[in-house]
């Protein structure tokens, strides 16, 4: 099939660095392994920086013009898509193109990582949330990465719409390195951009957690950079500075090598969507310590490859970390299982199989809907 691939939040091939762009690239690659031709929809970035109605009006006007242009080009003989696939549709980046174009062409409409927000339906974001909800009812298949997203989609499940789990997966160009043995105290590592919001909140939580156990025999490497580096460095200033290494922003391949020189991956993940970095850390053989927050649990095997504390329970997080710091044998068992889990169960090949199943559902559902609409009209 020819698939129109739309990413309202960010153009996945614009050179930016983010988890959503990376997942979008992985989805495209998985779809291409199935033999499909995937064409990115060249739309302006659809992220809404504020709930200002004028901002939404401008985005809707731009989307209407682009929709008219695309439909006109298809009618004039340009290769038309057989299916529309939208990735990451939510209230700050609603899909303003897919439902209308799919309906006009009579083709299946599929989403991945779409989400609804009940809270936003009753505040200044209500208009944007209504647009998202319209697209949720229009879809033939929703792929959800986490159970939290599934729960949000359930109220909008319509006859002829499937909700299919697509567990977070990760692609490596070559087999990732394995964790290396080393002398000295256990080494902790965290990797995250230093930006406002959930990332900064997780960094601040990690600083408070480590302040509870300064003498537990750890050394921490921090990989990342960004606008909030100054505030984050100040949060860690109360800790023994000889136990902290600030490594800055490094390329992905070097980051994998750096992970392999450590023993435990620590990242609170406060309200994390899911976090591909958890999969990377496990792939090289590191156990994870995190909060059971957001979609983190979708990326690990709790109790087997990760110790998860209740969200916000910093004492429990510190206790889990001390448990692994003091038990090398358990660290190594969990790390070995973590590597097996990611390299065997969270692969692009497995994701492609699930995608193939979902696209088949979508095509059948759309045919049934068109048939029913034709019968009603006649």
């Amino acid at each position: 099939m020819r698939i129109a691939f739309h990413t309202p939040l960010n153009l996945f091939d614009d050179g930016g660095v983010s988890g959503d762009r990376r997942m979008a690239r992985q989805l495209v690659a998985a779809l291409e392994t199935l033999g499909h031709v995937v064409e990115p929809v060249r739309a302006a970035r659809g992220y809404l920086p504020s709930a200002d109605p004028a901002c939404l009006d401008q985005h809707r006007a731009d989307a209407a013009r682009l929709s008219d242009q695309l439909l006109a080009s298809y009618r004039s003989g340009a290769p038309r898509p057989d299916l529309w696939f939208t990735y990451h549709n939510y209230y700050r980046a609603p899909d303003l193109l897919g439902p209308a174009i799919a309906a006009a062409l009579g083709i299946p409409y599929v989403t991945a990582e779409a989400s609804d927000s009940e809270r936003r339906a009753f505040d200044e974001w209500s208009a944007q949330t209504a647009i998202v909800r319209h697209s949720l009812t229009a879809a033939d298949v929703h792929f959800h990465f986490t159970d939290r997203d599934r729960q949000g989609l359930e109220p909008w499940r319509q006859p002829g719409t499937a909700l299919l789990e697509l567990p977070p997966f990760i692609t490596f160009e070559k087999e990732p390195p394995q964790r290396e043995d080393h002398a000295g105290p256990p080494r902790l590592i965290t990797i995250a951009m230093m930006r406002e919001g959930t990332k900064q909140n997780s960094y601040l939580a990690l600083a408070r957690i480590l302040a509870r156990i300064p003498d537990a025999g750890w050394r921490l490497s921090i990989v990342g950079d960004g606008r909030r580096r100054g505030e984050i460095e100040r949060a860690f200033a109360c800790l023994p500075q000889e136990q902290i290494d600030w490594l800055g922003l490094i390329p992905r391949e070097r980051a994998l090598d750096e992970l392999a020189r450590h023993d435990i991956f620590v990242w609170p993940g406060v309200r994390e969507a899911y976090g591909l970095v958890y999969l990377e850390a496990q792939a090289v053989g590191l156990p994870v310590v995190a909060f059971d927050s957001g979609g983190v649990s979708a990326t690990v095997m709790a109790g087997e490859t990760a110790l998860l504390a209740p969200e916000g329970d910093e004492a429990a997080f510190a206790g889990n970390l001390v448990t692994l710091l003091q038990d090398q044998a358990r660290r190594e068992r969990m790390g070995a299982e973590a590597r097996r889990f990611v390299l065997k169960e969270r692969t692009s090949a497995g994701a492609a199989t699930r995608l193939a199943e979902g696209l088949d559902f979508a095509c059948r559902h759309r045919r049934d809907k068109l048939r029913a609409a034709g019968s009603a009209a006649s």
Side-chain angles (χ1 to χ4, degrees):
M1 289 191 295
R2 184 179 296 275
I3 298 175
F5 192 84
H6 182 37
T7 53
L9 178 59
N10 290 303
L11 294 178
F12 70 91
D13 56 356
D14 64 1
V17 178
S18 64
D20 67 284
R21 291 178 175 89
R22 187 167 161 199
M23 178 54 77
R25 291 193 293 269
Q26 291 185 165
L27 285 168
V28 168
L31 290 167
E32 289 176 339
T33 66
L34 296 171
H36 302 303
V37 175
V38 182
E39 296 183 337
V41 176
R42 296 299 173 186
R45 187 180 186 224
Y47 178 75
L48 299 171
S50 76
D52 180 5
C55 180
L56 177 60
D57 289 344
Q58 183 61 57
H59 278 256
R60 296 180 87 162
D62 292 343
R65 283 192 293 271
L66 178 57
S67 179
D68 289 343
Q69 293 169 8
L70 289 172
L71 289 172
S73 70
Y74 298 145
R75 294 176 184 129
S76 299
R80 54 179 276 166
D82 303 300
L83 181 143
W84 186 282
F85 194 119
T86 293
Y87 168 64
H88 210 5
N89 167 35
Y90 77 118
Y91 73 92
R92 279 189 177 269
D95 184 3
L96 300 172
L97 295 172
I101 292 178
L105 298 178
I107 61 175
Y109 175 58
V110 175
T111 77
E113 204 180 339
S115 61
D116 181 44
S117 173
E118 182 69 15
R119 179 168 63 94
R120 295 303 186 185
F122 300 98
D123 65 12
E124 69 272 20
W125 293 95
S126 60
Q128 294 83 348
T129 301
I131 296 170
V132 172
R133 289 180 167 182
H134 169 69
S135 68
L136 297 182
T137 61
D140 299 289
V141 165
H142 294 297
F143 290 105
H144 58 88
F145 292 165
T146 69
D147 192 62
R148 181 183 65 172
D149 284 346
R150 180 198 62 76
Q151 293 175 32
L153 295 172
E154 282 289 355
W156 309 104
R157 187 202 291 261
Q158 303 291 311
T161 299
L163 304 186
L164 298 180
E165 182 183 15
L166 179 62
F169 65 99
I170 193 162
T171 303
F172 296 100
E173 294 181 3
K174 60 182 180 180
E175 185 171 298
Q178 285 188 285
R179 188 191 67 82
E180 305 168 3
D181 291 329
H182 63 85
R187 296 178 181 174
L188 314 179
I189 184 170
T190 197
I191 300 178
M193 294 299 293
M194 297 179 180
R195 57 174 178 259
E196 57 280 345
T198 58
K199 300 297 185 187
Q200 183 176 2
N201 291 339
S202 282
Y203 270 116
L204 299 183
L206 181 58
R208 292 192 299 268
I209 289 162
L210 293 177
R212 291 173 174 267
I213 53 170
D215 302 318
W218 52 265
R219 186 178 186 91
L220 172 68
S221 295
I222 298 176
V223 178
D225 206 343
R227 296 183 293 269
R228 292 293 182 264
R229 179 162 181 165
E231 294 94 321
I232 290 167
E233 287 183 339
R234 286 193 289 275
F236 283 82
C238 64
L239 296 167
Q241 293 304 291
E242 68 276 8
Q243 293 176 214
I244 302 177
D245 298 307
W246 299 86
L247 303 184
L249 190 63
I250 60 179
R252 184 191 179 202
E253 287 305 313
R254 186 181 153 201
L256 290 173
D257 291 336
E258 196 61 50
L259 281 165
R261 287 191 279 270
H262 291 74
D263 302 289
I264 304 171
F265 183 76
V266 290
W267 180 241
V270 179
R271 304 191 69 183
E272 193 83 53
Y274 44 88
L276 291 176
V277 69
Y278 293 112
L279 295 176
E280 285 185 320
Q282 291 173 98
V284 302
L286 301 191
V288 169
V289 180
F291 283 134
D292 188 358
S293 178
V296 172
S297 62
T299 64
V300 301
M301 296 174 68
E304 298 181 55
T305 70
L307 298 182
L308 302 182
E311 181 179 330
D313 191 339
E314 295 179 2
F317 190 116
N320 286 341
L321 184 51
V322 169
T323 294
L324 288 187
L325 287 169
Q326 295 177 346
D327 193 339
Q328 180 178 349
R330 187 175 184 185
R331 290 200 307 268
E332 292 178 353
R333 285 196 306 271
M334 291 180 67
E337 179 60 15
R339 184 174 174 88
R340 184 212 63 77
F341 165 63
V342 174
L343 298 186
K344 297 295 184 183
E345 298 185 30
R346 294 305 180 87
T347 64
S348 57
T353 298
R354 194 62 167 160
L355 286 166
E357 177 185 354
L359 298 191
D360 182 60
F361 270 123
C363 292
R364 285 191 279 119
H365 289 170
R366 182 60 55 158
R367 285 196 298 268
D368 290 345
K369 292 173 185 176
L370 291 174
R371 190 179 300 116
S375 298
S378 62

